[in-house]
Amino acid sequence: MEQIILKNIRVYAYHGCLAEEGMIGSDYRVDLKVSADLQKAMQTDALSDTVDYVHLNKIVKEEMAIRSKLLENVAKRIADRILDELTDIQKITLKIAKINPPIAGDVANVSVKIKVKKV
């Protein structure tokens, strides 16, 4: 099983439990790793035989644009949609980090990381 990795996808979004977060927004970074059989693509050199990372990035950006209170909810939506739309993917590791979260103290980011396997 091979992997395709998108690291540090930069997104501005409006997630959070506070009303201010919905108005002001925040910077986010998303790391995505998907596992799939890429052997055929290695031989054919054809985009149709691999997982299109442009499609992965599009899903991340579209789902990040939908406001949620919790990053856990956003992560699940992204993972569910990837598994639904890109049927060759067997496993997903996804990390969403909120940069400079509105909490007391000097915290660079807070993140949620999930791992999902196709059943």
Side-chain angles (χ1 to χ4, degrees):
M1 194 73 47
E2 294 72 42
Q3 298 177 331
I4 293 180
I5 301 166
L6 284 76
K7 188 163 180 71
N8 204 20
I9 302 168
R10 293 176 287 282
V11 181
Y12 197 85
Y14 298 87
H15 307 299
C17 293
L18 302 175
E20 293 83 10
E21 292 174 296
M23 293 183 291
I24 298 168
S26 190
D27 287 310
Y28 292 83
R29 300 295 181 264
V30 179
D31 294 330
L32 175 63
K33 178 170 46 175
V34 298
S35 298
D37 182 355
L38 304 178
Q39 293 295 314
K40 186 174 180 183
M42 290 180 199
Q43 300 301 316
T44 65
D45 195 30
L47 180 59
S48 60
D49 291 331
T50 192
V51 174
D52 184 353
Y53 56 78
V54 173
H55 192 163
L56 291 170
N57 186 60
K58 178 179 178 270
I59 291 171
V60 168
K61 291 200 170 203
E62 287 177 357
E63 292 300 322
M64 286 294 291
I66 301 168
R67 179 166 160 69
S68 288
K69 292 179 186 174
L70 302 178
L71 295 180
E72 293 88 330
N73 179 264
V74 182
K76 180 181 183 330
R77 285 198 332 261
I78 292 170
D80 287 349
R81 188 165 161 203
I82 288 170
L83 290 176
D84 185 51
E85 293 183 20
L86 300 163
T87 56
D88 292 339
I89 293 175
Q90 298 299 312
K91 185 172 139 184
I92 298 169
T93 302
L94 174 68
K95 178 178 157 186
I96 302 174
K98 178 184 264 188
I99 310 304
N100 296 319
I103 58 178
D106 185 12
V107 178
N109 70 66
V110 62
S111 61
V112 169
K113 183 176 182 178
I114 65 167
K115 295 181 181 185
V116 178
K117 286 185 180 180
K118 188 177 232 175
V119 287

